[in-house]
Amino acid sequence: MKIKLLHILKIIKVLTLTLIILSCSNKEIASHDLKKGVYAWREQNIFKSYYYLYLNKTNFEIGDTLTLLDNSDFKYTNCGFFGFGKYLIEGDSLYLNFDSTASHFDSVLTEDKMAFIYFIEDENTISNKLSTRSTRDGKADSYTISELHYVKNSQNVE
């Protein structure tokens, strides 16, 4: 009886290890399948919004639009500013390195060297999770999620 139990436990360990290895390798392959094109925010389900707001102190950003072009260039806009630069896909992350940005209130482009990191959820969805305020002791007081979904191909976009 003990021998059968030991064999069953070994089989479970091997299967668990195999599933862990396969799940890690699938994420790496899927991350490179990110479509080039226009990504935009999508209005969230009201239940999901309230869940994140009340239980996690998290809000969803609205109005973000990101265009990924074939030559590693991108254009980004949200309600406060817009900018452009180069992007890099590495693993499950999309790095946006801004060359220039400008406020919607002031049309002068500045050479701000800033970067955003989006996480690739799947080939149609990317997300960026930020802390929006910090307390005196440095802990985040609330969070913001920018979740963008694939809208259309960028061949017709300038």
Side-chain angles (χ1 to χ4, degrees):
M1 186 72 169
K2 285 186 178 182
I3 295 174
K4 286 185 179 182
L5 184 62
L6 289 176
H7 287 307
I8 292 172
L9 289 175
K10 284 183 182 180
I11 291 172
I12 291 173
K13 286 180 184 178
V14 169
L15 286 174
T16 304
L17 183 61
T18 304
L19 290 174
I20 290 172
I21 291 171
L22 289 175
S23 68
C24 291
S25 64
N26 286 342
K27 287 181 183 178
E28 193 68 30
I29 292 169
S31 69
H32 295 288
D33 291 338
L34 186 66
K35 294 179 181 178
K36 308 303 184 274
V38 178
Y39 288 81
W41 74 282
R42 183 183 305 157
E43 189 171 349
Q44 295 297 320
N45 178 318
I46 193 163
F47 296 116
K48 184 177 179 181
S49 296
Y50 281 130
Y51 170 79
Y52 276 91
L53 179 62
Y54 291 112
L55 294 181
N56 300 322
K57 295 183 182 176
T58 302
N59 292 308
F60 285 92
E61 283 189 14
I62 60 173
D64 292 1
T65 303
L66 172 66
T67 303
L68 300 177
L69 303 171
D70 289 332
N71 60 356
S72 296
D73 288 335
F74 74 87
K75 298 175 189 177
Y76 178 85
T77 186
N78 67 14
C79 61
F81 80 98
F82 61 94
F84 58 90
K86 298 278 186 190
Y87 70 88
L88 172 68
I89 297 173
E90 191 171 291
D92 64 349
S93 301
L94 170 67
Y95 297 94
L96 303 178
N97 297 307
F98 286 86
D99 291 333
S100 296
T101 61
S103 168
H104 287 296
F105 306 111
D106 183 11
S107 62
V108 177
L109 286 174
T110 59
E111 297 294 325
D112 291 340
K113 297 294 181 185
M114 57 187 273
F116 288 173
I117 301 173
Y118 276 86
F119 297 100
I120 302 169
E121 306 289 339
D122 57 41
E123 69 179 11
N124 295 315
T125 309
I126 56 177
S127 66
N128 182 356
K129 297 170 179 137
L130 303 167
S131 64
T132 54
R133 285 183 296 207
S134 294
T135 59
R136 286 186 178 175
D137 58 357
K139 294 182 180 176
D141 187 51
S142 64
Y143 299 90
T144 302
I145 298 175
S146 173
E147 189 174 276
L148 304 178
H149 302 273
Y150 182 78
V151 176
K152 63 181 176 180
N153 193 327
S154 63
Q155 290 178 344
N156 301 329
V157 178
E158 292 184 11

